[in-house]
Structures are given as C-alpha cells and as structure tokens.
Amino acid sequence: MRWRLLTLSAPLCLATAPPSDVFPLEGAACSAAAGRPPPKTPTAFEVLTSKWDALPLPDVPDFGSRWEPMLDELDKIFSNSSVVRAPTLESRSEAQQEVASALGDKAAAVYGEMLNIGTLGMLHHLGAQPGQRFYDLGSGTGKATMIAWLWGLHATGIELVSQRWQSACRALEAVRHTPQLRPPLTGGSMRQIKGNLAEIDVADADFVFSNSVMFPQELVRMMARHLGDSLRPGALVVCFQLLQTIDDRFVSLGKIMGPATWKLDQSWHVHKVVTSPADAPRQDEKLGEPQPGRLPDQVCELLAESDRPS
C-alpha cells in the first residue's frame, strides 16, 4: 500500500480498510463518510501546546522531588476558571483600551508568558539566591512572580491591565491556602501591584524581568530610562530587547533561551547595570517623565513569615 506524509490538518480516516490502490480518505471527507462531524483543525497555539509535555526538564537542583510537585499545584490553580478567567473579545478590547490610555499604544496589551520551567531555568542560570529581590514588569497573571517567590525571593509583579492583575491576586489568595506551595525556610514575600511599570519604585531590585516582546519602542526606551535611573550597579535585567543600544548604563551579558507560550526556544537578553543612578545624568528624551518612588494604587501581597504580625 502506498502512504503519504500527513499533516495535523489532514488526519487519516481508517474507519474502513481502503483499497490497496488508493489513499485513505482525509479530513472532512473522512468524517462525512463515517457520519461524523468534520474534525476541528488545530490552531497554531494548540499544536504548540501539544509539545509542552515533551520539553526537556530544567537543570535545577531537586526538580523532581521539590519543584515538579509544586508546578503541578500551580497548574491546578491557574487552570481554575474562577481564578484565571478565559480571555474574551470583550476582555481583550478592555485590555487594549486600558493600555492605550496609559501608554498611548495598545500593542503592549498582547499577552504571552515564559513557561514555568523556563522561569525556573532563568532563576537558576542567573544565580538567584533566597532573600534577593525580583521584579516582573508586565507580570500578567503573576506566574513568574510566584515562581520567584517559591525560589525564596522577595518577588513583585507589576501589571497595568486590571483583569490580569485581579487574576494574579486571586491566584495569590489560592496559594495562601495551598500548604504544598511554600518557599524555602529562609522565606520570601510576594506582591502583585497594579500600576505602570515606569512609575513604580524598583531601586532595590537584584533582578528585573520583562517579557517585553510586544512593547513598542517608546515604551522600551522609557523602561530602560526608568531602570537606568533606579537600579544600583550589578543588578541584572532580562528582557527581549537589547538595552545596551538604547542606554549605555547597561552592558550585555549574552542571552538566555527558554520556552514561551508562542515559541519553544525564545531568547531574552541579559544585561547588567554598570553605572550608579547618582552618577548618571538623565538623558533628554521626548518621553513622559517617569515617577520613581510612587506608591502603588492597588496591591495584594503575601508577606514573608518573619514579616507577618504575631
């Protein structure tokens, strides 16, 4: 019998044995012949997600004994529709309007995430130690912030879109009541802030991550300026764009690779801050003035054990 290479959009129909001199029926014709509804053609995202389980595991100490069970618990929380509601056309439109109103461009409202195992690999690769401070600029529903907290960091997510920030806070509350999800004994803390990434004080950061793939150039320049004005020398910044070409207060340390919701081998640039904010003159740019030090309007948090009132 002759066979041909098949694609996901044209599955074989073997309801009946085909004659030896013809190919099996495929797709809608197959379903019609068998009296079934036509099969749904997988979207590009469905094809991608079908490969996630086959991804190599990160080279992280105690992954199987400690991290894998916790990632399973996180998946349960974030797959709960009462915590993270599926996006609708209306909610996407609201997100675009909210972002456009604050930033003048709706492009940054497009949503994507580094996968949890990618975040783990990033923290391991960067040498993050419990007690250090991590910020996620444009943190969405808060997954990377939670991974950083579980690593033992003082983790802060900053998100502009109301619905995503609310999901992050509901997930935080769910984690609060999930005893399987706890950082190391050294403890960490977690905050989810609703606000503009260029207006929240990040001066104490050791690590800043921004999944800035869809950020317009003006927003990237504002972010670089805000971070350069705020961060102390030695702080590390991971984002999609090469900040060294925008602001000479950053030097490139290379790239890290990791899986994302849109690509299994996405790369992000790693930068180190080399100039103290006090020594760096502010650049004259035609951008809105960032407001470092501004207190957030809305925040939910999970304090470290040592910070909780007795």
Side-chain angles (χ1 to χ4, degrees):
M1 179 180 292
R2 295 174 296 156
W3 299 95
R4 58 175 150 172
L5 184 65
L6 303 174
T7 65
L8 285 173
S9 60
L12 277 171
C13 173
L14 297 177
T16 57
S20 59
D21 59 343
V22 298
F23 294 120
L25 295 170
E26 295 176 338
C30 157
S31 296
R36 300 192 301 268
K40 178 185 175 183
T41 300
T43 64
F45 181 70
E46 289 170 337
V47 172
L48 181 66
T49 56
S50 70
K51 301 177 182 178
W52 286 357
D53 288 340
L55 287 170
L57 299 179
D59 183 21
V60 173
D62 302 322
F63 180 82
S65 60
R66 177 170 185 261
W67 283 104
E68 196 164 20
M70 289 200 296
L71 294 184
D72 288 342
E73 291 297 324
L74 279 183
D75 284 343
K76 292 176 186 177
I77 289 173
F78 282 96
S79 62
N80 186 336
S81 60
S82 67
V83 175
V84 179
R85 295 176 183 132
T88 63
L89 289 176
E90 182 179 6
S91 66
R92 290 191 183 100
S93 177
E94 290 174 356
Q96 290 172 350
Q97 292 173 14
E98 199 166 7
V99 170
S101 175
L103 305 176
D105 191 318
K106 67 180 183 181
V110 177
Y111 190 67
E113 298 173 343
M114 179 187 283
L115 299 189
N116 289 340
I117 59 172
T119 306
L120 273 178
M122 174 181 70
L123 294 174
H124 179 58
H125 177 81
L126 297 179
Q129 297 297 315
Q132 292 184 304
R133 297 188 179 275
F134 171 93
Y135 286 79
D136 183 1
L137 307 185
S139 51
T141 58
K143 292 180 182 178
T145 313
M146 286 195 178
I147 296 292
W149 169 70
L150 289 169
W151 194 271
L153 306 183
H154 296 287
T156 299
I158 302 172
E159 175 56 46
L160 183 61
V161 176
S162 298
Q163 185 185 57
R164 296 170 189 168
W165 173 76
Q166 290 163 0
S167 292
C169 288
R170 287 193 295 268
L172 183 149
E173 284 303 312
V175 166
R176 192 191 304 275
H177 302 290
T178 306
Q180 300 94 319
L181 294 173
R182 290 293 179 266
L185 293 178
T186 50
S189 60
M190 174 167 46
R191 294 187 301 168
Q192 305 289 6
I193 295 174
K194 184 184 184 304
N196 189 325
L197 59 84
E199 295 181 350
I200 304 298
D201 188 0
V202 297
D204 61 349
D206 297 292
F207 305 98
V208 175
F209 171 66
S210 184
N211 191 20
S212 56
V213 176
M214 294 301 297
F215 284 11
Q217 188 63 19
E218 289 294 289
L219 178 57
V220 175
R221 291 173 60 213
M222 181 178 285
M223 178 179 72
R225 176 179 169 184
H226 176 46
L227 296 178
D229 287 346
S230 304
L231 299 177
R232 57 182 179 264
L236 299 181
V237 178
V238 179
C239 64
F240 178 70
Q241 293 81 4
L242 183 61
L243 298 184
Q244 184 175 332
T245 62
I246 302 172
D247 193 312
D248 60 9
R249 290 173 285 189
F250 301 93
V251 295
S252 174
L253 300 181
K255 294 182 179 181
I256 59 171
M257 302 287 291
T261 50
W262 66 93
K263 189 178 181 181
L264 297 181
D265 55 352
Q266 180 61 54
S267 64
W268 289 268
H269 290 278
V270 181
H271 313 81
K272 183 169 72 172
V273 179
V274 294
T275 306
S276 171
D279 300 331
R282 294 175 67 89
Q283 300 179 8
D284 181 19
E285 298 186 19
K286 297 179 181 179
L287 292 171
E289 283 290 319
Q291 302 173 32
R294 175 183 170 186
L295 294 175
D297 296 328
Q298 296 172 282
V299 58
C300 58
E301 60 187 346
L302 185 60
L303 299 176
E305 292 290 341
S306 59
D307 295 331
R308 296 179 188 176
S310 57

